[in-house]
Amino acid sequence: MNTSFNLHDYDIMVAEVHRNLPASVLYEHAIRFEKEACIADNGALVAYSGSKTGRSPKDKRIVRNPNSEASVWWGQVNIPLDAASFAINRERARDYLNTCERVYCFDGFAGWDPKYRIKVRVICSRPYHALFIHTMLIRPTKQELDTFGAPDFVICNAGAFPSNRFTVGVDSKTSICLSLEDRELIILGTEYAGEMKKGVFTVANYFAPKRGLLSMHCSATADRQSNHSSLLFGLSGTGKTTLSADPKRDLIGDDEHVWSDEGIFNIEGGCYAKAINLSAESEPDIFQALRFGAVLENVVVDDDRRVDFADTSITENTRGAYPIHFIKNARIPCMAGHPADVIFLTCDAFGVLPPVSVLSPAHAMYHFISGYTAKVAGTEVGVKEPSATFSPCFGGPFLVWHPSKYAELLAAKMRQHNTRAWLINTGWSGGGYGIGKRIKLAHTRAILDAIHTGALGDAKVKRDPVFGFDVVMTCPGVPAEILWPRDTWADTTAYDKASKHLARLFVENFKMNESGASAEVRAAAPSF
C-alpha cells in the first residue's frame, strides 16, 4: 500500500487505499475478502457479480448539461438526468466507500495511441473489480504511474450499495450515471464488472467524434506485411470474435477501437469474451488465455475447481476477462495502419442475404446505421419465424451522438483512405432457420481470406434487385452455387417473399434514425 497516495480530492477518507496492485496481490485480497471467490484449476480468478449478471441499460443516465445537450442523442439509449440527482448519487457512492475498511484504485489508459489516450481512474471496493479493470484497461509502466497526475475520467464504483429510487430521474435501486462535464461515472446497485468497461467506451464515443476521430464497436486485425488493418463489425452471434482469431494476421483487438488520422488503435488492454460452452476445440486462443491473471465471472466450478463452461445455472452470460497479450498473435502496442477493408457481419436467420456483397459508400452508411442481424426462433411450439435485431452502428447502447454522426465519420475516412466495404452473412442459406442450413465457417473464412488478399477486388458481381448492393458471384474456396442466395432455395417464390419481408423490416427500422441521414443514404434503402 502506498501511504502517500490518498483519495481526499474525492472526499474519500479511507486510510487503506490500494493503488494499482499487481494481479497476484489482488488474487490474495479476493480470496481473503471476497465472498465465494476462488482460483480455478486453470489459474483464473473466479468471482461473482451477485444478482446482476449483465448490463442494466435501462438504468443508465447522462446528465443534461447546456454544454453537451445539443450533441447527445437523447431517447431510450441516453436518458437525461439533472445535475442535482447526479450529485446525490455521487455523494451516496462516496458515503458508501467511506464505510469500507479498504478501497482500491486503478490508474490506467484507454487507447493505445499516446496522442489520443484517456487517463482513467477507477475507485472501487472489491478486489474482483480492481483485477477486472486492471485486465481491461491499458496498464501503465511504473514511470507512467509515477507521473500520472490528474485523470481525464473517473469511475466511482459503489455497486454493492443501492441507489435511492426516490431520487428524481432514478427509478430503481440500480443507477449508472455519467456526467460528461465532470467526466465522472457513478455506479450504484450493480456489481456487474462490464458496466465499467462500457462506461469507458461510452465516454470514448462522446469525446472521440469531437476530435474528428471515429470510435467503433468492432474487432480489428492487421496484415503483417502491409500493416493495413481490417475492421469486423457485428452483433452477438455473428462470428466477430471467432473470425478475428486469424492465425495469418495480427490481432489488434476484439471489441473497441478508434480510427484516427494515423490509423487505428485499440481502446482496451484486455478482452472480455463470452465463456458459455467454451472449449479448447471451439476457441483455442480464448481457452488458453483464461489462466493466471484472468477473471472468470459467474461460472460454475466443482469441488476440484474445474470450470463447467456448459453450466448456465447462474447465468448464460458467463464471461472471461484477460489481458490481450495472453493471445499469442496479438500485436503490442495494439495499433495498425488505416483499414483496407470494413466488414459488416450479419447472421441472417431468414436465409435472404448473400454470403458476401460489395457495398457502395451509401450502402455502407445505411447498413452501418442499421446494424442488422437476426436471431433464431425461440423454443415455443409453433414459432418458426426468426426475429430481426437492429443496433445502430453495431453498438447502439453505447452511442452518445446520433448514429449519423458516426456514419458520416466512417464514410469520410473510407473515402479518404480508399477503404472497401463488405457485407458478410454468416447465417442461413437455402432457406431460413429450420429449413436451410447455416453457411459453413470454412466458407466464411475463405471469403474473409479472399477479401484480405484482394482476390475479390475484380470478382464478378450481380446487383441484388431488392437490397441494391452488388453480390459477389465468384470466390476462391467457396462453391459458386451458394453465392446467389435465391438459387439455393427450392422454392424461389418463398425466397422472394422472405426477401421483401426482410426489406420491410430494414425500412421500418431505419425510420427511427433517418432524420439525421443524408438523401444519398436514405436512397440506399431496400426497395420492394
Side-chain angles (χ1 to χ4, degrees), residues 480-519:
E481 56 267 23
I482 74 166
L483 293 173
W484 186 253
R486 190 174 189 270
D487 290 346
T488 66
W489 283 53
D491 185 347
T492 54
T493 302
Y495 171 83
D496 293 339
K497 181 179 178 181
S499 179
K500 291 178 181 179
H501 171 66
L502 180 57
R504 291 188 189 96
L505 295 177
F506 265 90
V507 171
E508 286 300 312
N509 169 75
F510 200 79
K511 288 178 181 178
M512 294 186 292
N513 302 317
E514 65 182 357
S515 61
S518 68

Side-chain angles (χ1 to χ4, degrees), residues 319-522:
R319 294 273 180 166
Y322 49 88
I324 192 168
H325 67 263
F326 280 15
I327 300 294
K328 57 186 176 183
N329 67 322
R331 178 184 295 187
I332 306 297
C334 301
M335 301 165 62
H338 295 289
D341 300 284
V342 166
I343 299 156
F344 303 137
L345 301 172
T346 183
C347 177
D348 178 27
F350 294 96
V352 166
L353 297 179
V356 56
S357 306
V358 185
L359 300 181
S360 68
H363 278 106
M365 289 181 71
Y366 185 89
H367 283 272
F368 184 58
I369 292 173
S370 297
Y372 164 73
T373 193
K375 297 181 179 180
V376 298
T379 56
E380 290 182 50
V381 176
V383 177
K384 298 180 180 180
E385 284 294 313
S387 61
T389 300
F390 295 93
S391 184
C393 308
F394 297 93
F398 321 115
L399 303 183
V400 181
W401 301 76
H402 188 279
S404 62
K405 177 76 169 181
Y406 305 92
E408 288 165 2
L409 279 167
L410 178 66
K413 291 185 178 296
M414 288 177 62
R415 283 193 296 267
Q416 182 181 356
H417 301 288
N418 298 314
T419 305
R420 300 168 298 189
W422 311 84
L423 179 66
I424 291 181
N425 177 20
T426 63
W428 271 254
S429 177
Y433 174 75
I435 299 174
K437 294 182 179 179
R438 186 102 189 238
I439 296 170
K440 292 181 179 179
L441 178 60
H443 292 159
T444 302
R445 288 195 183 279
I447 290 169
L448 208 55
D449 286 344
I451 288 173
H452 289 150
T453 61
L456 294 190
D458 298 316
K460 180 183 176 182
V461 296
K462 183 178 177 180
R463 183 67 49 88
D464 185 289
V466 173
F467 288 89
F469 45 55
D470 290 331
V471 179
V472 174
M473 299 302 292
T474 59
C475 178
V478 181
E481 56 267 23
I482 74 166
L483 293 173
W484 186 253
R486 190 174 189 270
D487 290 346
T488 66
W489 283 53
D491 185 347
T492 54
T493 302
Y495 171 83
D496 293 339
K497 181 179 178 181
S499 179
K500 291 178 181 179
H501 171 66
L502 180 57
R504 291 188 189 96
L505 295 177
F506 265 90
V507 171
E508 286 300 312
N509 169 75
F510 200 79
K511 288 178 181 178
M512 294 186 292
N513 302 317
E514 65 182 357
S515 61
S518 68
E520 182 186 15
V521 174
R522 293 197 298 270

Side-chain angles (χ1 to χ4, degrees), residues 53 274-277 298 311-319:
T53 57
K274 290 184 177 180
I276 184 171
N277 294 322
N298 297 321
D311 193 324
T312 60
S313 58
I314 296 175
T315 178
E316 290 188 3
N317 189 38
T318 53
R319 294 273 180 166

Side-chain angles (χ1 to χ4, degrees), residues 39-55:
I39 302 173
D41 68 344
N42 60 12
L45 178 72
V46 176
Y48 298 92
S49 64
S51 60
K52 297 280 187 173
T53 57
R55 290 184 301 103

Side-chain angles (χ1 to χ4, degrees), residues 2 45 113 208-209 236 240 349 410:
N2 183 355
L45 178 72
D113 190 332
S236 178
K240 181 180 66 170
L410 178 66

